[in-house]
Amino acid sequence: MICSKCGAEVAEGAMFCTTCGAPMNAAAPNPVPNPTPTPAPTPDTFAGNGAPVYAAPIYMDPKDHTAEFSAKDISDNKVIALLPYLMGTMGLIIAILAQKDSAYVAFHVRQALKLTVCTVLVGFITLILCWTIIVPIIGAIAAVVLLVVDIICFFRVCSGKAIEAPIVSSFGFLK
Ligand SMILES: [Zn+2]
């Protein structure tokens, strides 16, 4: 046996080193204590396959007002909220008549009204300046853009969302 402290040779079975007196059973250098293991982050829920699922960072779209409406309001009045986007002015009138019962319909009436005002304005300006070459072209492009906005809004209502109409919502009226 070799004393780990002083390196002297010690008889087999000795309790202490005969040279320096160090205890032989504690000769081995103390192992470095394990650092406190870092606890794994606690998963919020577990998926069906047992994999931990962590909550996604909450992303709030300032134009998304879906949370302001009750799920019942949305599901009950989805069809009426679709009408202004689907049937134009006709649908808008029907929805305006029905909106007092539903904040969700009222929201979409405002969006569709903005869209209609923009469409009418584009048509009006195009009509007045139809003798120019550039305005009818811009008017046609704007009409296509407004139609796309209308389709986007339609599908958002289908999925029960209340998101402000793209582009037209930035025009600041009918807030
Ligand atoms: Zn020793």
Side-chain angles (χ1 to χ4, degrees):
M1 283 170 77
I2 305 287
C3 171
S4 66
K5 200 174 176 194
C6 67
E9 249 182 80
V10 185
E12 197 77 42
M15 294 282 284
F16 298 95
C17 169
T18 46
T19 309
C20 71
M24 291 307 289
N25 57 348
N30 282 337
V32 180
N34 285 335
T36 314
T38 17
T42 317
D44 300 310
T45 47
F46 285 89
N49 57 4
V53 175
Y54 297 95
I58 296 162
Y59 171 71
M60 287 298 288
D61 182 349
K63 289 185 180 300
D64 189 344
H65 300 272
T66 310
E68 296 166 23
F69 305 96
S70 71
K72 192 184 183 299
D73 185 6
I74 292 171
S75 63
D76 287 359
N77 300 294
K78 207 189 256 185
V79 177
I80 298 164
L82 278 173
L83 294 180
Y85 301 120
L86 196 64
M87 295 167 61
T89 317
M90 235 338 237
L92 201 53
I93 291 164
I94 297 167
I96 287 168
L97 294 173
Q99 71 172 342
K100 33 181 161 326
D101 308 324
S102 168
Y104 186 64
V105 172
F107 175 86
H108 285 290
V109 162
R110 285 199 302 279
Q111 302 308 310
L113 212 52
K114 281 186 193 188
L115 202 56
T116 306
V117 168
C118 290
T119 308
V120 168
L121 261 158
V122 164
F124 195 62
I125 292 165
T126 308
L127 205 66
I128 291 170
L129 298 170
C130 61
W131 47 272
T132 62
I133 297 162
I134 194 77
V135 171
I137 294 169
I138 296 168
I141 295 167
V144 170
V145 169
L146 290 169
L147 182 68
V148 171
V149 169
D150 186 88
I151 293 165
I152 291 169
C153 290
F154 178 85
F155 283 107
R156 280 174 176 176
V157 179
C158 287
S159 56
K161 294 260 191 292
I163 304 171
E164 287 175 28
I167 306 165
V168 295
S169 71
S170 54
F171 291 151
F173 61 95
L174 285 167
K175 276 285 175 200

